[in-house]
Amino acid sequence: MNDTMQAVLMSGFGGPDVLRPGRLPIPRPGPDDILLKVGACGIDRKDLLIRNGTIRKRSAGYRGAAGDARDDLSFPLVLGTEIAGTVAGIGANVRGVRLGDRLASLPRRGHCGLCMYCRTGRSESCASAYFIGQDVNGGYAEYVLLGADSVWPVPDNVEFAAACMAAAAIGTMVRAVRDVARVTMGESVLITGASGGLGVHGVQLARLAGAFVIAVASSESKAALLRELGADEVIVSGHGEDWSGRVIALTGGRGADVGIDIVGVATLKTVLRSMALYGRVATVGEVGSGSIDLRPAIVLLRRLQILSSYAPGMEHLATALDLLSRGRVRAVIDDRLPLAQAAAAHARMEAGDVNGRIVLEP
Ligand SMILES: NC(=O)c1ccc[n+]([C@@H]2O[C@H](COP(=O)([O-])OP(=O)(O)OC[C@H]3O[C@@H](n4cnc5c(N)ncnc54)[C@H](O)[C@@H]3O)[C@@H](O)[C@H]2O)c1
Ligand SMILES: [Zn+2]
């Protein structure tokens, strides 16, 4: 094995041009590491937020010590949290993984396994977990280090370009649709940001749950794809418009039973206005600092529940891979690009010109 690898190096915060192809030593697995040869790495919106400086700090879990001052990210950094590939090296403490195994990863690792959250199936809230492609180098590279606590086997009939999305783009929506909003047969479900990486899978999952699906998208070409994926109705709207009247009309004057808001500041208020009495709203998007003004009466008088759907867990990753394998959900791949095209892919996502996920294939 040659001892260097191709990687996309982020030289600092800025526009897409801070991402440049370069070379790094192939990382050596420590005792708790799995060395993965990357088959595919999806580009998550979070990668853009790290690159443009919206997210500037390491996560609190990085050193495992709660209360430590959080350090600034250091450069060069390799982005990439949505990873699938083949095991190429195994640390001495890792059990249950063999060379050549095909694996997909959660966006984080380092779960302690002992805290209240780890022991109750909520390890996404473990204080010692840290992020791949933020705190440590990620998947925009030929090789990446993962943890045994962050991986799940990929079924033989699922290609890496689909498997890499199983955690963030699909698993997050499994949690939002099934566990948080608890969508049931016959309900109406409104989904914003529907043509993005999370949304295209959320539409399919809500339909799979038996719902009547109303998707919001920004162009007619995106609407056509959403209909093909199972959306019953698509509202085509410019960013910032109030389309709640359309939702009310499409639901016979009642409003939607469930709202899955994948955008955030730009849409949450309109989602709340679109809800039926007793509506449940799951917020998925927006880690920026913007805010909305909210009249508490709208929540009270409509008897609304506003819920958070934070991050996929291992069970969501496993379920997503199973759904892909059984053909119940289709991974929507906008484009497959070599590592050298990472900056161009970021530019396209900034322009909003993407249906589903762009996937890098080293
Ligand atoms: N809750 C979680 O665990 C979790 C996990 C992954 C991603 N996310 C977040 O979910 C969001 C979506 O992620 P993604 O990877 O699908 O992103 P994406 O870029 O693939 O898709 C975002 C979609 O939102 C639309 N959009 C963007 N700005 C808009 C605006 N102002 N008004 C209306 N529509 C707008 C875009 O056109 C696009 O269709 C991001 O905020 C991301 O950080 C959350
Ligand atoms: Zn823990």
Side-chain angles (χ1 to χ4, degrees), residues 45 172 193 195-198 239 262-263 266 284-286 309-311 357:
R45 177 129 305 243
T172 300
S195 53
L198 271 61
H239 290 178
I262 308 181
V263 179
V284 179
E286 199 74 71
S309 184
Y310 178 74
R357 268 284 182 264

Side-chain angles (χ1 to χ4, degrees), residues 173-199:
M173 297 316 293
V174 171
R175 185 194 287 280
V177 171
R178 187 192 64 187
D179 299 349
V180 174
R182 298 183 184 220
V183 173
T184 59
M185 195 188 300
E187 289 191 309
S188 53
V189 176
L190 168 68
I191 303 183
T192 63
S195 53
L198 271 61

Side-chain angles (χ1 to χ4, degrees), residues 110-119 122-129:
H111 311 94
C112 73
L114 299 169
C115 71
M116 195 258 280
Y117 299 111
C118 281
R119 287 178 182 220
R122 297 177 289 179
S123 66
E124 66 279 358
S125 300
C126 176
S128 9

Side-chain angles (χ1 to χ4, degrees), residues 39 43 55 75-76 89 91 111-112 130 145 160 163 166 187 199 212 242 245 251 260 278 303-304 309 320 322 350 354:
I43 303 186
I55 299 171
F75 303 105
H111 311 94
C112 73
Y130 53 91
L145 293 178
F160 290 137
E187 289 191 309
F212 172 77
D242 181 345
T251 49
I260 299 190
Y278 301 100
R303 298 91 156 141
L304 300 181
S309 184
D322 202 32
E350 262 174 8
V354 177

